Structures are given as structure tokens and as C-alpha cells.
């Protein structure tokens, strides 16, 4: 009996191109000048935007899970760890711009006019998920109402950390109601009572005296560590950005009209999830 072949319907796309949407993807790199370094700038920007999108996906899913009754905290930690891989790849992506000199950058800089990463709405989503809620960040998008509305909804939703506070309260820790009911559109600046809660969580782990004994809150310790790792990795990306800016344009003003490197420098010391940093100031042993 002849072998029956169920060949896929033939188009001029092979299966791999079709699955990865390569035809569309590979038409999107369009330098505006003949400057040799412009393509690397466009590709790195696009790669980073894809990774921002992926991080947004992971962090929204982690945030939503944390706010559910009986949240799967282990699952959230796995999601945040998957995000750590993405964050490491994001920071490593700066390597492709590491040789960009001011002369090479100036050769195409005028071609993008006032376009600036400050207009990146996927980046703004991830900053909002990390709890940064400065109103100026929304104002940048006033000319694009659809994006503005989407970002305003994110800014009015709990951050990853707000969701962690909800979880801690549900698990019986003394997170004040007033913090759990906080307006998410305002920045959370840290609270000593929550630092005390994290100290209690970590102290519980420290009190374990045999390897086989499970602490009641081991999953919360892992969550605290995963959140801290997330914050630290985000700062690494910001620091590498600043180094690239110094290298490629020195202290000249940015295309969005900021003071450039000086403006970015203010952001690289920001402590996302501040209680977890204060806890380190004080220690928990
Ligand atoms: C060496 C190349 C780059 C230079 C010289 C540079 C320069 C700057 C400057 C000066 C700013 C401040 C805002 C302004 O006035 O424009 C800025 C902001 C920003 N850039 Fe870049 N940039 C570079 C590459 C990138 C890439 C590849 C991305 C990835 C998408 C990116 C994302 C951002 C973001 C998200 C902001 C806003 C940061 C915030 O709001 O805290 N930049 N950039």
C-alpha cells in the first residue's frame, strides 16, 4: 500500500518562517541613513522592545497570581526567575552597542529627530509594574490616546510589590490595612511596619535548625529574594544604559530634551521595592 503523505499546504513560506513570522520581522529593520552603525542601533532597540514586552507578560501574570486567594507563590517565584533570564539577556544586549563612538552615533542621530526611548511604552509598563508611578511618565503619551489609556490603566493597577503586600496580609502578617488599600496611582515609598514583616518572614527561615525542617514561610522568603533580584537586575540595565550614553554622546542633551546622562543618572540609584533594601540596611539575623 502506498504511503500516504499528508504534506502541509505549500506556500512560499516554510514552516519555520511561518511560525516565527520571519517575513514580517525581517522587513522591520529600516535604517534611515547609510551610516554603518545605524542597523545595530535599530536591531538592539527592537530586541530590547521585544524583551520589555516579554517581561511585561511575565510580571503581569506574577502580579495577578499574587492577588488571588491561595496564590501559587512557588509558581510566581518560577515566573520571576524566568524574568531574571530575560533581564540578564536585556542587559547583555548592550554589548552590541559597546563600540558605538560619538562620531558613529552622530552619523545617524539627526535621522531620528526627537524620537527617544523615553517614549517607549513597553518600558513604561515594566516601570509601572515595578512600582514607579511618576505622573510625568504618563504625560509623555498624551499625543497617543490609545497608549495613554493603556498605560493609565497599568498605573491604576497594583504593582508587583502591592500584590506582594496583599499576599503577606492574607497570610496573616501585620501589613496595615491602609497600605493594602493604598491608591496604586501614588508611589509606595516604603514603611517600617512592612520592613518588620519581612524581617519576621526571614527570621522564620533563619530559625530553621535542620535541613529537613520546612519553615512555614519558605515560599515567602523565596518571593522576597526573587523580588529583590528583579529590582537589582533592572538597575543593572539602567546602569548599562547610562554607560552607553556616556560613551556614545557624553553629557550632551538627549533627543527628548532632557539633560541626557545627567537626567538618567538620577534614576540609577532608585530602590524599587524599598522595604527590601531597608531590610538590608538593618539586617534580619
Ligand atoms: C547608545 C545608544 C543610546 C543613547 C545615546 C541613548 C540616550 C538616551 C537619553 C539621552 C535618554 C534621556 C531622554 C532623552 O532626552 O532622550 C534616554 C532615555 C531612554 N532610553 Fe536610551 N539611549 C540609547 C539606547 C537605547 C536603547 C537601545 C534603548 C532600548 C529600547 C533605550 C531606551 C531608553 C529608555 C527606555 C529611556 C527612558 C528612561 C527613563 O525614563 O528612565 N535607549 N536614552
Amino acid at each position: 500500500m502506498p504511503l500516504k503523505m499528508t504534506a502541509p499546504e505549500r506556500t512560499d513560506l516554510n514552516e519555520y518562517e511561518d511560525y516565527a513570522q520571519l517575513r514580517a520581522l525581517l522587513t522591520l529593520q529600516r535604517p534611515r541613513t547609510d551610516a554603518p552603525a545605524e542597523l545595530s542601533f535599530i536591531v538592539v532597540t527592537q530586541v530590547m522592545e521585544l524583551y520589555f514586552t516579554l517581561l511585561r507578560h511575565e510580571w503581569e501574570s506574577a502580579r495577578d497570581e499574587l492577588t488571588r486567594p491561595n496564590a501559587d507563590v512557588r509558581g510566581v517565584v518560577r515566573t520571576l526567575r524566568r524574568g531574571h533570564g530575560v533581564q540578564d539577556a536585556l542587559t547583555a544586549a548592550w554589548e552590541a552597542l559597546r563600540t558605538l563612538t560619538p562620531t558613529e552615533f552622530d552619523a545617524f542621530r539627526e535621522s531620528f529627530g526627537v524620537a527617544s526611548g523615553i517614549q517607549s511604552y513597553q518600558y513604561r509598563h515594566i516601570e509601572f509594574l515595578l512600582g514607579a508611578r511618576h505622573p510625568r511618565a504618563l504625560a509623555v503619551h498624551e499625543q497617543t490616546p490609545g497608549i495613554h489609556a493603556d498605560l493609565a490603566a497599568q498605573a491604576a493597577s497594583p504593582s508587583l510589590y502591592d500584590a506582594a503586600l496583599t499576599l503577606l496580609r492574607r497570610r496573616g502578617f501585620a501589613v496595615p490595612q491602609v497600605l493594602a488599600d493604598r491608591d496604586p496611582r501614588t508611589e509606595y515609598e516604603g514603611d517600617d511596619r512592612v520592613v518588620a514583616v519581612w524581617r519576621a518572614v526571614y527570621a522564620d527561615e533563619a530559625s530553621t535548625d535542620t535541613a529537613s525542617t520546612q519553615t512555614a514561610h519558605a515560599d515567602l522568603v523565596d518571593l522576597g529574594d526573587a523580588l529583590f533580584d528583579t529590582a537589582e537586575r533592572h538597575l543593572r540595565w539602567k546602569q548599562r544604559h547610562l554607560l552607553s550614553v556616556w560613551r556614545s554622546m557624553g553629557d550632551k542633551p538627549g533627543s527628548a530634551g532632557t539633560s541626557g546622562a545627567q537626567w538618567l543618572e538620577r534614576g540609577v540609584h532608585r530602590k524599587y521595592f524599598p522595604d527590601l533594601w531597608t531590610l538590608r540596611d538593618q539586617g534580619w539575623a
Side-chain angles (χ1 to χ4, degrees):
M1 205 160 111
L3 199 61
K4 256 195 168 173
M5 299 285 287
T6 48
E9 209 179 284
R10 285 282 149 204
T11 64
D12 66 339
L13 278 181
N14 71 31
E15 292 79 357
Y16 172 71
E17 289 173 290
D18 186 33
Y19 182 72
Q21 290 293 296
L22 293 187
R23 286 286 165 94
L25 183 66
L26 298 178
T27 59
L28 300 176
Q29 296 68 45
R30 297 182 192 147
R32 292 182 177 175
T33 67
D34 294 330
E38 189 181 3
L39 184 58
S40 62
F41 184 71
I42 291 175
V43 168
V44 171
T45 301
Q46 292 181 343
V47 164
M48 287 188 179
E49 286 293 335
L50 289 173
Y51 281 144
F52 293 156
T53 306
L54 185 51
L55 275 184
R56 177 184 170 189
H57 165 78
E58 302 291 11
W59 291 355
E60 283 179 345
S61 118
R63 185 263 319 268
D64 295 349
E65 182 60 32
L66 285 174
T67 52
R68 282 193 190 106
N70 302 317
D72 171 12
V73 181
R74 293 269 174 234
V76 168
V77 170
R78 272 197 304 280
T79 304
L80 291 176
R81 289 198 179 130
R82 199 160 53 235
H84 297 160
V86 178
Q87 291 180 282
D88 290 346
L90 253 170
T91 301
W94 287 117
E95 290 301 311
L97 291 178
R98 74 192 310 271
T99 60
L100 188 67
T101 66
T103 309
E104 287 169 336
F105 188 43
D106 280 345
F108 62 87
R109 195 177 173 197
E110 267 187 24
S111 72
F112 59 79
V114 295
S116 162
I118 213 170
Q119 298 163 328
S120 165
Y121 50 88
Q122 295 293 49
Y123 179 79
R124 205 55 60 199
H125 272 287
I126 70 168
E127 277 262 306
F128 283 172
L129 282 158
L130 290 170
R133 301 281 157 116
H134 200 290
R136 174 183 43 78
L138 265 182
V140 169
H141 299 282
E142 267 160 5
Q143 306 305 316
T144 45
I147 287 167
H148 187 274
D150 189 30
L151 275 170
Q154 185 74 269
S157 303
S159 68
L160 274 169
Y161 195 72
D162 291 328
L165 293 187
T166 304
L167 171 84
L168 289 168
R169 201 176 147 75
R170 278 219 177 95
R171 291 275 289 263
F173 287 95
V175 173
Q177 183 73 49
V178 60
L179 294 181
D181 294 343
R182 219 173 47 80
D183 178 354
R185 285 169 301 186
T186 59
E187 293 239 358
Y188 174 74
E189 286 175 353
D191 190 292
D192 284 344
R193 293 164 294 183
V194 182
V195 177
V197 164
W198 282 112
R199 187 175 301 110
V201 167
Y202 278 89
D204 184 47
E205 185 200 38
S207 71
T208 306
D209 42 19
T210 69
S212 59
T213 309
Q214 277 288 320
T215 66
H217 307 302
D219 57 344
L220 298 182
V221 170
D222 288 347
L223 178 66
D225 286 349
L227 285 170
F228 190 82
D229 285 342
T230 299
E232 188 188 319
R233 280 174 162 81
H234 188 61
L235 288 182
R236 282 188 213 155
W237 182 88
K238 291 176 76 161
Q239 286 163 2
R240 280 302 308 270
H241 180 224
L242 177 61
L243 287 172
S244 294
V245 173
W246 271 329
R247 182 180 186 108
S248 318
M249 57 175 268
D251 67 356
K252 298 184 201 76
S255 46
T258 73
S259 56
Q262 277 178 35
W263 182 83
L264 289 166
E265 209 172 355
R266 285 185 229 135
V268 299
H269 303 294
R270 184 192 179 106
K271 291 175 173 165
Y272 299 86
F273 318 145
D275 301 322
L276 294 172
W277 299 78
T278 309
L279 185 66
R280 279 159 173 81
D281 299 340
Q282 301 169 0
W284 61 79

